[in-house]
Amino acid sequence: MEHDIKVKFCGLTRPDDVSAAVEAGAAYVGFVFFAKSPRSLDPAAARALALTVPPGVAKVALTVDSDDATLEAILEAVPLDMLQLHGREPPERVAELRTRHRLPVMKAVGVAAAADLAALDRYAQVADQILVDAKPPKDAALPGGNGLAFDWRLIAGRRWPVPWMLAGGLTAGNLAEAVRMTGARQVDVSSGVETAPGVKDGGLIRAFGSAARDAGRVPDLTGN
């Protein structure tokens, strides 16, 4: 059975990145607002990029434990369709931000072992979507975008009451296997389409989009 695989290209920083992502069939484009990231943008730069995104492609703001003032500044400047919370925001904070800003909220949860799966269940009760990512190493400066994968068998056959997205170390080369093992229908890529941290490559972006289309035609191993 064929399924469309929706792709989120995250950490875009240049107009060419956005145009390549759109050409590759992006369902979402992500802009990072986290100073420690090599993909970080200020609101003015993000606004300029967001205004080039065509209708039908969701514009997502990735933030990490941002305070209210920071979020207000971002949302006032940038036309956005979704917030992605990639820090240690508790479920109560997720629910609060959904209500306050009246935008869908995606919560990222890091996974390294079976014990991490309970958090996915908790956040699925309060978020509009969950992003299942690889848990960063303890000494990592970034909560995501580290190019690491986790053991996809941990979530094989698991489902939640909200849409979910697979992230962590995905590339055009391993995407089909990841989709087949997890049954993911949405995927997120950042470092997997870069030639250096924060430097996207149009060819890699297009290759990932092509791999996503091909992966949608490969039967998964989860019985879905």
Side-chain angles (χ1 to χ4, degrees):
M1 184 176 181
E2 294 189 10
H3 302 271
D4 288 334
I5 305 298
K6 294 183 178 180
V7 180
K8 175 172 169 280
F9 291 99
C10 198
L12 308 183
T13 61
R14 303 171 301 182
D16 285 352
D17 299 342
V18 175
S19 60
V22 170
E23 180 184 334
Y28 308 81
V29 292
F31 305 119
V32 175
F33 300 91
F34 182 55
K36 293 181 180 180
S37 172
R39 308 166 186 98
S40 187
L41 296 172
D42 61 39
R47 175 181 174 80
L49 291 178
L51 291 174
T52 71
V53 178
V57 180
K59 302 175 292 294
V60 183
L62 186 160
T63 67
V64 180
D65 298 314
S66 294
D67 59 25
D68 290 339
T70 299
L71 287 173
E72 291 286 356
I74 293 169
L75 292 169
E76 186 173 328
V78 189
L80 292 164
D81 301 301
M82 179 178 286
L83 286 175
Q84 177 180 331
L85 307 180
H86 218 108
R88 297 183 178 181
E89 301 90 353
E92 297 77 14
R93 177 65 168 164
V94 176
E96 174 195 351
L97 293 176
R98 282 185 74 219
T99 300
R100 175 177 298 177
H101 299 297
R102 297 184 180 180
L103 280 177
V105 174
M106 179 188 300
K107 179 67 181 84
V109 178
V111 171
D116 299 316
L117 300 179
L120 289 166
D121 296 330
R122 288 195 298 273
Y123 283 107
Q125 302 303 315
V126 292
D128 296 278
Q129 297 202 37
I130 50 177
L131 184 132
V132 187
D133 201 359
K135 180 178 282 189
K138 289 185 177 180
D139 58 350
L142 304 178
N146 293 297
L148 300 174
F150 63 94
D151 185 350
W152 297 319
R153 291 172 296 183
L154 288 168
I155 62 167
R158 292 181 64 91
R159 294 296 175 266
W160 296 274
V162 294
W164 65 282
M165 188 175 291
L166 180 67
L170 296 176
T171 66
N174 67 16
L175 182 59
E177 180 185 7
V179 168
R180 186 169 59 248
M181 290 184 66
T182 66
R185 299 289 168 252
Q186 300 192 114
V187 296
D188 178 291
V189 66
S190 185
S191 60
V193 291
E194 293 178 344
T195 55
V199 182
K200 295 290 190 287
D201 179 86
L204 293 176
I205 288 173
R206 286 185 285 273
F208 193 93
S210 178
R213 289 189 290 275
D214 291 343
R217 294 191 284 267
V218 176
D220 66 58
L221 299 180
T222 65
N224 291 282

